[in-house]
Amino acid sequence: MLSVSELNQRHGISGQASFVQDANGFVMVKVTNAQATACIALQGAQLLHWAPAGQQPVIWVSDRAIYAPGKPVRGGAPICWPWFGPHDARADFPAHGFVRNLLWELVRVDALPDGTTQMALHFPAQNETTEQWPHDTTLDMELTVGRCLKVDLVTRNQENQPVTVGQALHTYFQIGDIRQVRILGLEGCPYIDKVRHGERHVQEGEVRFDRETDRIYLNSTRDVVIEDPVMKRRIRIAKKGSASTVVWNPWVEKSAAMKDLGADGYVRMVCVENANAADDVLVLPAYSSHHLEVCYTVEEEKP
Ligand code: TA6
């Protein structure tokens, strides 16, 4: 892997994109442009910060997050791939797949004419994952930082047979108070309730939170909006290439039991994840590719 100074020489953009290494050895690219600021770690190609100009951060990271090589950071937008949740056959395989725990290669960083900053990262095939994933596939991510945050996650199947992939952009959003947040756009969608042992229900009205919530919504292709009356904003989540949306908040007990979340960690975060999971896993035909695309936008609450 290139050193931070080599990364800055090769990919840095003066005043817009620079590489740093934190005290934990995490290499990150910090982006600042007229529209927004952002930070992406090379481990897991994990977005850890995004704030449109004039806005509070939209992406949440636990203040108890542990930054350790090979371990997922609590918060940001972890990439779950090539399976979502626990592996269906091997309990010793990492939850949510392995790409969020490993180093990605930075391919390019570009200052685009519209004032946004775009970067591309590639997940390099590595021997240590072959046992877990004996398939000839590639994974790339393109991320664009501006007033909107765009991600395009591209899976390519290079085999002469179909391959089944589960994936999600497991994004943690910063909110004022989970007890006052409403999530719109899932009305009428069937969902799998992981808190109630996989029971299937249909969403009636908006989603509100008064307990541990862990649901995989199916047939959810509309925009989802997080309405936050405390921070006086709406976060709009638009997507393509994903028909499942995961909504998660660990609530009191689970939060207290997670050392990288803590007793009150659950209050200011909510996960809304654009996924291909459960009934919606991806069966990628031979020699084909798939794009999971999301676009996050913040709308100020009208006075
Ligand atoms: O997306 C929700 C979920 O699958 C929950 O069940 C919970 O496990 C969460 O992901 C966090 O998973 P992690 O492996 O990052 O602790």
Side-chain angles (χ1 to χ4, degrees):
M1 186 180 110
L2 297 178
S3 69
V4 168
S5 59
E6 288 165 330
L7 284 165
N8 277 313
Q9 277 168 359
R10 190 171 297 192
H11 297 290
I13 302 174
S14 173
Q16 188 166 154
S18 62
F19 293 83
V20 297
Q21 187 157 16
D22 73 1
N24 307 289
F26 261 57
V27 177
M28 305 176 185
V29 48
K30 300 251 183 182
V31 174
T32 302
N33 62 41
Q35 301 180 26
T37 57
C39 176
I40 296 90
L42 294 195
Q43 176 169 297
Q46 187 167 355
L47 176 67
L48 295 175
H49 169 80
W50 171 60
Q55 266 293 345
Q56 291 294 312
V58 179
I59 302 299
W60 175 90
V61 174
S62 171
D63 53 17
R64 298 173 179 230
I66 298 162
Y67 295 81
K71 296 283 181 225
V73 173
R74 180 66 60 198
I79 298 170
C80 305
W81 192 96
W83 59 82
F84 177 80
H87 188 274
D88 54 15
R90 294 284 298 268
D92 56 325
F93 285 6
H96 292 319
F98 45 79
V99 302
R100 65 173 177 165
N101 304 331
L102 299 173
L103 276 182
W104 289 51
E105 287 167 0
L106 187 100
V107 175
R108 61 178 173 81
V109 182
D110 294 314
L112 299 187
D114 65 359
T116 59
T117 309
Q118 185 176 81
M119 65 198 69
L121 298 104
H122 171 74
F123 181 74
Q126 28 210 314
N127 299 334
E128 62 190 290
T129 58
T130 306
E131 188 217 351
Q132 296 181 11
W133 185 245
H135 298 287
D136 184 5
T137 55
T138 64
L139 182 66
D140 289 275
M141 181 174 83
E142 184 182 85
L143 184 142
T144 308
V145 176
R147 249 181 296 287
C148 305
L149 192 285
K150 295 179 183 175
V151 174
D152 181 5
L153 196 63
V154 187
T155 298
R156 290 182 178 84
N157 177 8
Q158 302 186 135
E159 294 183 346
N160 62 359
Q161 58 191 352
V163 67
T164 299
V165 173
Q167 60 179 347
L169 203 53
H170 192 299
T171 306
Y172 292 70
F173 292 96
Q174 176 157 300
I175 51 169
D177 181 347
I178 190 65
R179 290 159 293 216
Q180 300 188 52
V181 146
R182 296 183 296 272
I183 295 187
L184 314 176
L186 295 168
E187 299 82 357
C189 290
Y191 65 88
I192 299 167
D193 190 334
K194 289 171 61 178
V195 176
R196 289 192 284 181
H197 314 296
E199 286 177 9
R200 289 183 182 234
H201 299 275
V202 176
Q203 181 60 39
E204 294 178 11
E206 61 199 16
V207 179
R208 303 193 66 138
F209 300 84
D210 62 4
R211 70 196 70 183
E212 180 188 355
T213 304
D214 193 351
R215 301 173 181 176
I216 302 176
Y217 285 88
L218 305 168
N219 308 334
S220 72
T221 52
R222 299 193 302 261
D223 286 9
V224 167
V225 174
I226 302 171
E227 265 197 353
D228 184 345
V230 173
M231 295 187 76
K232 297 183 174 26
R233 68 184 185 186
R234 293 156 58 96
I235 300 170
R236 180 171 295 275
I237 302 163
K239 65 172 180 177
K240 285 184 196 161
S242 146
S244 33
T245 300
V246 179
V247 174
W248 178 59
N249 184 280
W251 212 245
V252 182
E253 288 79 19
K254 277 265 173 74
S255 187
M258 296 165 75
K259 65 180 184 307
D260 59 358
L261 194 49
D264 56 3
Y266 75 98
V267 174
R268 303 237 27 216
M269 52 73 65
V270 66
C271 281
V272 178
E273 308 160 32
N274 296 131
N276 293 105
D279 307 19
D280 173 44
V281 283
L282 199 57
V283 180
L284 205 47
Y287 304 119
S288 67
S289 60
H290 174 271
H291 291 251
L292 168 57
E293 297 175 73
V294 300
C295 176
Y296 303 146
T297 314
V298 177
E299 301 164 355
E300 296 267 351
E301 205 167 76
K302 307 224 176 342

